[in-house]
Amino acid sequence: MTLGFVISLGLQLKNHKDIVSQIAGKLGSVDKAQQYLNKCLYYVNIGSNDYINNYFLPQYYPTSHIYNTEQYAEVLIQELSSNLLTLHEIGARKYVLVGLGLLGCTPNAIYLHGTNGSCVDEENAPAYIYNVKLKSLVDNFNNKSSLDSKFIFINSTSESNNQSSDGFLVTNAPCCPSRLVDGGCIPDERPCYNRSEYVFWDDFHPTDAWNQLVAIGSYDDPYSSGYTYPMDIKHLVEQETKIELEFINENTLQLSVSS
Ligand SMILES: *[C@@H]1O[C@H](CO)[C@@H](O)[C@H](O)[C@H]1NC(C)=O
Ligand SMILES: *[C@@H]1O[C@H](CO)[C@@H](O)[C@H](O)[C@H]1NC(C)=O
Ligand SMILES: *[C@@H]1O[C@H](CO)[C@@H](O)[C@H](O)[C@H]1NC(C)=O
Ligand SMILES: *[C@@H]1O[C@H](CO)[C@@H](O)[C@H](O)[C@H]1NC(C)=O
Ligand SMILES: *[C@@H]1O[C@H](CO)[C@@H](O)[C@H](O)[C@H]1NC(C)=O
């Protein structure tokens, strides 16, 4: 509401269903579309705005009066869980579920709370609570053999993506001069000289240097550092290949039986 109209996850899935029927049209059948989508990786990185632009804004939204942090995390996870099952119906089988990052460490949180450069602990706490629940959702789904799916959890608060030890010089201020209202860059202002030394591009969003590090770490996490659970994206994708092969074999079998 404060940032205008936002397409909810439910509506995104409805739109996705429309696209899937178009894929089915192109490939010849709904079954073929589903087999195709079974091979895809679904990267679900969602939730920070449910805090930053809702729960943390009691002047605009009642959620923090209605729910404590534990209950709010539970409500979000329930909502996510039912949306993921809808995604599963459409054909998704491989999922990356990204946990919340340290919400209290954005330049915006630091600025608004006047903490002189330090993270805002009370805004980090909800992220830890939410992530514990997201990780058990991953366990629950992986244990449901009826789903025939693989889920992984990315721990965005993990010590293994430590901003200072990863060589970023500036972790608590944005590269571009930002607007307080929505945290975006002020148009036509000069950004910092070297953006790859900054974690944050504006008051909320990381730089591509930081995103690249996160992408590499999520893909290849050989030391089981706790950053990816229970496996990294590389292994998730390899699992997919096996299922794909089984598919091909099944199809071949059916073909030879029917011919
Ligand atoms: C704020 O942080 C700076 C740099 O760490 C320090 O020099 C300064 O004394 C701090 N100011 C206050 C009011 O704590
Ligand atoms: C899921 O299965 C694993 C391994 O069998 C087990 O350790 C874990 O407790 C189970 N989790 C849930 C939520 O059932
Ligand atoms: C994520 O990593 C942090 C830091 O290592 C740890 O404290 C937290 O328990 C982890 N969260 C989950 C859900 O495993
Ligand atoms: C991150 O790394 C820096 C420098 O190596 C260290 O001082 C700091 O304690 C680490 N922070 C966390 C949360 O591990
Ligand atoms: C920008 O920062 C990165 C990381 O510290 C450094 O490797 C690079 O040399 C810098 N580039 C310039 C032009 O200063």
Side-chain angles (χ1 to χ4, degrees):
M1 255 188 284
T2 51
L3 295 180
F5 179 69
V6 174
I7 302 179
S8 67
L9 182 55
L11 190 52
Q12 287 183 49
L13 285 173
K14 206 167 160 284
N15 291 339
H16 182 54
K17 262 187 196 160
D18 291 343
I19 298 295
V20 172
S21 16
Q22 289 175 30
I23 296 175
K26 281 214 161 77
L27 294 181
S29 74
V30 173
D31 274 0
K32 287 215 173 90
Q34 292 222 333
Q35 284 174 28
Y36 177 75
L37 293 170
N38 284 175
K39 299 181 213 159
C40 296
L41 190 66
Y42 289 77
Y43 186 89
V44 183
N45 187 354
I46 197 167
S48 55
N49 278 316
D50 290 303
Y51 288 90
I52 293 173
N53 281 307
N54 189 306
Y55 197 70
F56 294 159
L57 297 178
Q59 64 273 41
Y60 298 117
Y61 302 100
T63 41
S64 60
H65 301 301
I66 303 173
Y67 307 108
N68 64 30
T69 44
E70 180 75 29
Q71 293 164 334
Y72 190 60
E74 193 58 42
V75 168
L76 292 180
I77 292 289
Q78 290 299 331
E79 184 73 21
L80 179 61
S81 167
S82 84
N83 278 300
L84 289 171
L85 291 174
T86 305
L87 193 56
H88 180 268
E89 275 168 32
I90 303 173
R93 292 296 178 270
K94 305 282 147 190
Y95 305 78
V96 182
L97 305 187
V98 183
L100 293 178
L102 295 172
L103 306 172
C105 296
T106 66
N108 182 269
I110 289 167
Y111 183 80
L112 285 183
H113 289 78
T115 50
N116 194 25
S118 315
C119 297
V120 181
D121 291 338
E122 63 268 30
E123 293 199 349
N124 282 341
Y128 285 103
I129 294 172
Y130 176 93
N131 286 351
V132 167
K133 292 182 188 294
L134 187 62
K135 191 177 179 181
S136 20
L137 185 70
V138 161
D139 272 337
N140 280 328
F141 278 160
N142 279 336
N143 282 8
K144 280 207 176 75
S145 53
S146 58
L147 288 182
D148 187 27
S149 298
K150 280 279 180 294
F151 293 79
I152 66 173
F153 161 71
I154 307 286
N155 186 356
S156 309
T157 65
S158 164
E159 267 147 27
S160 71
N161 63 343
N162 178 332
Q163 302 171 337
S164 344
S165 62
D166 281 328
F168 288 87
L169 296 180
V170 185
T171 62
N172 56 10
C175 169
C176 76
S178 303
R179 292 183 294 235
L180 189 57
V181 207
D182 61 3
C185 296
I186 300 170
D188 301 329
E189 289 280 316
R190 188 187 289 271
C192 64
Y193 170 67
N194 189 350
R195 60 189 69 183
S196 59
E197 292 175 340
Y198 283 68
V199 170
F200 285 95
W201 168 246
D202 61 19
D203 265 353
F204 289 115
H205 304 101
T207 53
D208 66 337
W210 176 253
N211 282 329
Q212 190 172 15
L213 209 78
V214 166
I216 292 169
S218 319
Y219 182 75
D220 199 355
D221 183 23
Y223 309 112
S224 304
S225 61
Y227 184 49
T228 60
Y229 172 87
M231 66 186 96
D232 57 21
I233 294 179
K234 190 175 166 188
H235 286 90
L236 181 66
V237 172
E238 279 165 8
Q239 299 231 340
E240 186 174 54
T241 314
K242 277 184 214 141
I243 286 181
E244 210 180 304
L245 282 177
E246 280 161 20
F247 246 122
I248 292 167
N249 287 340
E250 265 173 36
N251 285 349
T252 319
L253 209 64
Q254 279 165 6
L255 279 181
S256 57
V257 167
S258 61
S259 61

